[in-house]
Amino acid sequence: MRLSSRKPICLLMNLGGFETRMDELLTKAFCLGEEVFSLTGEGIVPLPAQSAIVPVNVMSLSSGELHVWSSLVNEQLQEREMNVANVVILAAGRKYCGVLPLGTIIFEGLRIGA
């Protein structure tokens, strides 16, 4: 990946089993973004270089929990002035790893960065 394609911010989203590939995924995240944040149960948490704060497993959240969690994350995105132009999401789990733009629908009309 070219350095010029890096975004200022990369958010980590856990699709189940993230912790089994933690080192690989953190390396990828720091290549994608200058700063990396974990999407935890408390919302957006900044990661120091190569830290190990596991994001919340969004696949294990009920529909109601996902609504509350995504609202919290979206409020924090707005407070920190994170927007589509400067954020990318690294969504990963045990077998999947992909990059999503901010604003991607994650579940039944819920978006991260709505």
Side-chain angles (χ1 to χ4, degrees):
M1 173 172 286
R2 295 186 335 256
L3 188 59
S4 63
S5 64
R6 285 177 78 193
K7 294 277 190 173
I9 298 164
C10 178
L11 303 176
L12 296 175
M13 179 183 287
N14 183 354
L15 302 176
F18 187 95
E19 57 282 356
T20 63
R21 301 171 60 194
M22 183 69 91
D23 292 338
E24 168 197 352
L25 296 172
L26 285 176
T27 299
K28 215 172 260 205
F30 280 99
C31 287
L32 291 169
E34 295 170 25
E35 289 185 88
V36 177
F37 294 81
S38 183
L39 296 175
T40 71
E42 288 78 41
I44 300 169
V45 176
L47 297 182
Q50 304 299 316
S51 177
I53 299 173
V54 178
V56 66
N57 180 353
V58 296
M59 305 304 284
S60 68
L61 298 177
S62 69
S63 179
E65 290 170 330
L66 194 55
H67 280 277
V68 170
W69 176 79
S70 65
S71 293
L72 171 67
V73 168
N74 287 333
E75 285 175 16
Q76 291 175 351
L77 287 169
Q78 290 174 358
E79 288 170 5
R80 293 174 182 253
E81 297 181 2
M82 295 181 182
N83 58 49
V84 175
N86 65 6
V87 178
V88 66
I89 300 170
L90 178 62
R94 194 171 283 109
K95 296 180 182 179
Y96 174 81
C97 181
V99 176
L100 305 172
L102 193 62
T104 299
I105 295 175
I106 59 168
F107 179 79
E108 295 181 11
L110 295 176
R111 296 176 190 263
I112 295 295

